[in-house]
Amino acid sequence: GPYTFTDTNLAILGTLRIEDGAVALPIGTLSIGGSLLNVGGTFNSATGTVLFNSTDTGESVNTGPSSFHNVTFGSASGGWTITAHATSTGNFSLTSASQFTVSSSTTLHVDGIFTNLVGGGATTWTGSTLRLHAGVGYTINTKAAGGDAYNNLVVGSSTALRAWDSSGTVSITDGDSSFYSQDHAGASGALNIYGDYARTTGTDYWSYATDFD
């Protein structure tokens, strides 16, 4: 290398395997219909998006020493396993999948907005760590999409998270971070609050006896 994809948007129907050199990915959307295996080189996502849209299960994601910017997993019949530590400097969106696994002893680090609209039995987080460091407040999922059972969930500095029907071992990194877990662990009416939760505008209403959602 170095190697550069000159197309703004590009679709790869199978697996992208990087064995050496430095690869500049498209500045728009790179769609990958198979696995991503970075086994000896590096890649640069710049401000682009990597879209995993395989229609098959059994795909693997190994980013090596490189980081995604924005990344989306979006195929109702696709299945992926993140086999090594991975970082997204932008947003990480799990919009549809038949199977999604983060391998045990692996950390997924997201600096942007993390969205999980899959959850439940389709995902596996056993032994893994999810680190969310957006530095803003947002909601991970929707009530309709259902929640997830994370293993370790680390909430980064100045990050205020909300989630529905979710659980996990939650770690708060500073006094400005919080996790507001509604219908915690799928228990209707249960509310768990971790960290220094503050509502600066509007009003929250919650009662264990009344399921407001």
Side-chain angles (χ1 to χ4, degrees):
Y3 310 97
T4 301
F5 287 102
T6 58
D7 301 271
T8 299
N9 302 297
L10 181 69
I12 296 175
L13 301 182
T15 292
L16 173 60
R17 182 180 176 91
I18 301 172
E19 296 191 349
D20 61 53
V23 180
L25 301 185
I27 61 173
T29 298
L30 172 64
S31 302
I32 299 178
S35 298
L36 170 62
L37 304 174
N38 183 10
V39 296
T42 62
F43 65 82
N44 183 359
S45 290
T47 58
T49 297
V50 176
L51 168 63
F52 291 96
N53 60 358
S54 172
T55 57
D56 299 321
T57 58
E59 310 292 6
S60 296
V61 178
N62 181 351
T63 61
S66 302
S67 299
F68 295 114
H69 181 56
N70 295 326
V71 57
T72 298
F73 292 83
S75 172
S77 60
W80 300 269
T81 298
I82 296 181
T83 60
H85 299 314
T87 296
S88 171
T89 60
N91 299 331
F92 188 104
S93 301
L94 184 56
T95 59
S96 60
S98 68
Q99 176 269 322
F100 178 83
T101 298
V102 179
S103 295
S104 182
S105 301
T106 295
T107 297
L108 173 60
H109 182 111
V110 181
D111 284 330
I113 305 299
F114 172 77
T115 302
N116 181 357
L117 302 181
V118 178
T123 60
T124 302
W125 300 89
T126 305
S128 70
T129 298
L130 174 62
R131 303 181 65 93
L132 304 180
H133 288 259
V136 297
Y138 67 92
T139 301
I140 290 174
N141 62 343
T142 65
K143 174 65 175 175
D148 217 333
Y150 302 100
N151 185 60
N152 294 315
L153 175 60
V154 180
V155 183
S157 177
S158 300
T159 302
L161 301 177
R162 285 175 174 254
W164 285 101
D165 297 296
S166 299
S167 62
T169 300
V170 179
S171 299
I172 304 296
T173 58
D174 70 9
D176 295 321
S177 303
S178 62
F179 182 59
Y180 189 89
S181 182
Q182 304 157 105
D183 287 356
H184 182 75
S188 182
L191 175 64
N192 282 29
I193 299 176
Y194 303 85
D196 186 17
Y197 172 74
R199 181 68 182 249
T200 57
T201 60
T203 305
D204 277 319
Y205 297 95
W206 198 269
S207 167
Y208 188 82
T210 304
D211 194 9
F212 289 99
D213 59 298

